[in-house]
Amino acid sequence: MYRFQISNFRIQIFLSLMFVIIFQSAAAISAQEMPPEPSAPPKVVIPAVKERTLPNGLKVAVVERKNVPLVTVSLLVKSGANAEDAKSAGLANMTASLLTKGTKTRSATEIAQEIEFLGADLNSFADWNASNLRINVMSDKLDRAMAIMADVILNPTFAQSEIDLYKQQTLDELKVNLRQPGTLANYVASRYSFGEHNPTGTPETIEALNQKSIVDFHKTNFVPSESVLIFTGDITAEQSFSMAQKYFGNWKAASSRNNNSPKTVKTTAGKDSVVEKILVVDLPSSGQAAVSYAKKQGFGRVNGKENFFPSSVLNSVLGGGYSARLNQEIRIKRGLSYGARSGFGYRGTDTNFIATTQTKNQSAAEVAELIIEEIEKLTDAAVSEEELKPRKAVLTGNFSRNLETTSGLAGLLSELYLYDIKSDFLSSYMENVRGISDKQIRDFASRNLKGGDIIIVGDYSLFRDDLKKRFDKTPIQVIPFDKLNLESESLQ
């Protein structure tokens, strides 16, 4: 009888514990269904930017940040792929990448070893708008790091062996990537919708580049009068100016500077429909289809400053994160993709907008229709404050995080100096984001997001009938993959 009572007591305890666990689990599930409200906006201290221009024309900008003993030094050169023509696509990126691969006094291996010994990292790269070389290092080792940085900028050798290695690696990557629907769709959009070449280059243009073209690009475009040296972190302004003079004061300017401007594609503002035409690149037996909406914008960071904040908030709503509309509709609700996103690629006087995703071939036409529907909603339906508040918080949160790191801060300053935007932009950023209304978003979308292109790269045989059915009144052009020519304006 005693043993039975103990056993029964244990059962009661076990059942009570199970009840508590189930109740807590149910409460947790309920809490997950209702995401928490965004926290209060962070208090951000906007740093003061101190400037000086050296006698050779090099501008030096400094932001002192004493919270950690770390310094980021970034050299912005205001020439990127925009300073090369289509026949030399990839030249800017190759030049920037080879800077760290050998100088008159250091081999590529010695540069890597010295940087590693300092506990630093050194990166050089180019995009459409500019070339950059950036170093992150502890403040007590900055002087030695600056000596290496100046050496790779002023004295690169562009050795033939390093050029050959870079070419081979790039060609191997392109051989694979240009058969991937997503990468190929980006290349096609650059030509078809944006009137540009891709900064990475094509197999043909990479193969044609030589040492002379690289040396000439460096000599012509890497000049002090078109560059900005940016210091952020644990360093004073006077120390920065002194180091800039010490290591870059003898940097001589070239006698002339080449500025190739890409052919500008006419924008299609004022169109009634979101999509004007559809281009299909037929890639037989592709595992997936890439679906993109691409539209050239007639404003840039220089000539359309009033559009920057409306476009930024609109993009956060449409495709700027996991909770944005495209991903919600295409991935979360319908399971048609692993992710969908959008973005504005700002230039000085124009901007490239793209919304893109990948899906199985059979659902390519459906996904294209969904992207268009989401863009159309932005032109004629209100965005509720309940939706706007967290999407704005994404922008302001990312901005404040960038301000808290020396590298992120250097990146923000590089963008300002590239487009000659005053530093008070940083102080007003959060207020400007929060001030954007849903009417401004609708007006912007109506003016700028109509008259674009749908680009689909995939196995056409698997979505041909569905595409023609859903878009029976839209012109559809089909280019077989084996007829595609990325160097031609017509793509054929």
Side-chain angles (χ1 to χ4, degrees):
M1 181 67 179
Y2 177 73
R3 289 179 180 177
F4 175 78
Q5 288 177 340
I6 293 177
S7 177
N8 190 46
F9 179 68
R10 287 176 176 172
I11 291 173
Q12 291 178 15
I13 293 175
F14 174 76
L15 292 175
S16 298
L17 289 172
M18 287 298 295
F19 175 79
V20 170
I21 291 171
I22 292 171
F23 178 80
Q24 289 177 338
S25 298
I29 292 171
S30 177
Q32 289 175 359
E33 290 176 351
M34 185 64 70
E37 287 290 319
S39 60
K43 292 183 179 179
V44 177
V45 178
I46 305 300
V49 182
K50 300 176 182 179
E51 292 182 2
R52 183 174 295 177
T53 301
L54 302 186
N56 61 3
L58 177 65
K59 183 171 287 186
V60 183
V62 188
V63 172
E64 299 178 24
R65 180 66 63 78
K66 300 291 188 178
N67 53 336
V68 291
L70 180 69
V71 179
T72 295
V73 186
S74 180
L75 181 75
L76 167 72
V77 177
K78 297 181 181 182
S79 292
N82 58 356
E84 66 192 20
D85 57 34
K87 292 181 180 179
S88 60
L91 176 58
N93 193 44
M94 184 181 291
T95 303
S97 299
L98 290 173
L99 287 175
T100 61
K101 302 305 180 183
T103 70
K104 295 175 182 178
T105 58
R106 293 176 172 90
S107 67
T109 301
E110 288 171 334
I111 292 171
Q113 288 175 340
E114 289 186 46
I115 290 296
E116 183 178 10
F117 178 77
L118 295 175
D121 65 78
L122 177 66
N123 297 292
S124 56
F125 56 93
D127 54 25
W128 182 262
N129 300 301
S131 301
N132 289 268
L133 188 135
R134 187 172 298 169
I135 192 165
N136 295 291
V137 65
M138 300 296 288
S139 51
D140 61 342
K141 298 178 177 65
L142 178 60
D143 191 67
R144 285 176 287 175
M146 285 291 294
I148 301 170
M149 183 179 189
D151 195 24
V152 301
I153 288 291
L154 304 181
N155 306 305
T157 54
F158 302 116
Q160 188 61 51
S161 58
E162 294 293 343
I163 294 173
D164 293 340
L165 178 60
Y166 178 91
K167 277 189 174 184
Q168 189 57 58
Q169 292 172 336
T170 304
L171 290 170
D172 288 345
E173 291 175 4
L174 288 172
K175 184 178 180 180
V176 175
N177 290 340
L178 290 181
R179 292 196 68 91
Q180 303 301 314
T183 303
L184 188 55
N186 289 334
Y187 269 75
V188 170
S190 292
R191 271 293 191 184
Y192 186 73
S193 301
F194 305 144
E196 300 175 351
H197 59 271
N198 193 288
T200 304
T202 67
E204 292 77 13
T205 63
I206 294 297
E207 191 64 60
L209 295 177
N210 55 45
Q211 187 182 52
K212 182 180 184 306
S213 60
I214 296 168
V215 170
D216 288 347
F217 186 90
H218 176 265
K219 181 180 179 181
T220 303
N221 293 284
F222 281 67
V223 295
S225 59
E226 294 295 329
S227 303
V228 184
L229 188 64
I230 299 169
F231 293 81
T232 56
D234 184 25
I235 186 170
T236 67
E238 288 305 318
Q239 287 174 328
S240 300
F241 300 145
S242 177
M243 281 194 178
Q245 180 62 45
K246 176 181 177 181
Y247 290 108
F248 290 96
N250 293 325
W251 187 5
K252 303 297 184 183
S255 57
S256 63
R257 184 167 180 264
N258 180 29
N259 275 315
N260 290 315
S261 298
K263 179 181 178 181
T264 301
V265 174
K266 292 181 179 179
T267 57
T268 50
K271 295 289 184 177
D272 293 329
S273 60
V274 170
V275 175
E276 287 291 301
K277 54 190 185 299
I278 296 174
L279 174 66
V280 175
V281 176
D282 185 12
L283 186 62
S285 302
S286 64
Q288 289 188 321
V291 183
S292 300
Y293 173 83
K295 171 70 168 58
K296 189 78 169 181
Q297 308 293 326
F299 66 88
R301 292 291 273 125
V302 173
N303 68 338
K305 296 177 182 178
E306 71 280 359
N307 289 310
F308 178 77
F309 289 104
S311 64
S312 298
V313 177
L314 176 146
N315 187 67
S316 185
V317 171
L318 179 65
Y322 186 84
S323 300
R325 289 183 177 185
L326 288 176
N327 201 64
Q328 286 280 341
E329 190 64 33
I330 296 172
R331 174 181 175 167
I332 297 173
K333 291 183 182 179
R334 300 172 187 264
L336 296 175
S337 175
Y338 284 113
R341 65 188 187 280
S342 64
F344 287 89
Y346 301 102
R347 280 86 169 98
T349 56
D350 53 45
T351 300
N352 299 339
F353 172 74
I354 193 165
T356 185
T357 188
Q358 292 193 67
T359 186
K360 60 182 183 291
N361 284 287
Q362 291 84 349
S363 57
E366 179 185 0
V367 166
E369 196 171 58
L370 290 171
I371 291 175
I372 295 168
E373 287 176 358
E374 290 304 317
I375 293 174
E376 285 176 338
K377 288 178 186 177
L378 290 171
T379 68
D380 56 24
V383 183
S384 69
E385 186 60 30
E386 183 180 25
E387 182 180 12
L388 268 180
K389 186 176 180 180
R391 301 317 305 161
K392 290 177 181 179
V394 170
L395 293 175
T396 56
N398 289 338
F399 176 76
S400 61
R401 280 192 295 273
N402 280 332
L403 286 178
E404 292 303 317
T405 67
T406 59
S407 183
L409 182 54
L412 289 173
L413 290 174
S414 293
E415 184 176 351
L416 299 188
Y417 280 103
L418 177 61
Y419 299 119
D420 295 322
I421 299 171
K422 294 181 179 179
S423 60
D424 60 5
F425 171 89
L426 299 177
S427 301
S428 60
Y429 180 89
M430 290 194 172
E431 180 182 352
N432 282 325
V433 167
R434 296 184 189 119
I436 296 299
S437 67
D438 86 289
K439 183 180 184 303
Q440 287 175 284
I441 292 174
R442 286 199 311 277
D443 290 346
F444 175 88
S446 298
R447 290 194 315 269
N448 297 285
L449 294 189
K450 291 183 178 180
D453 309 320
I454 285 289
I455 298 171
I456 304 177
V457 178
D459 190 335
Y460 187 44
S461 66
L462 299 178
F463 59 84
R464 176 179 52 229
D465 294 341
D466 193 24
L467 187 68
K468 290 181 177 179
K469 178 181 178 182
R470 293 176 186 268
F471 297 93
D472 59 325
K473 296 180 181 180
T474 306
I476 300 174
Q477 179 186 2
V478 181
I479 301 177
F481 175 74
D482 59 4
K483 302 293 184 183
L484 182 67
N485 181 3
L486 293 171
E487 295 185 73
S488 168
E489 290 186 14
S490 67
L491 293 172
Q492 296 184 81

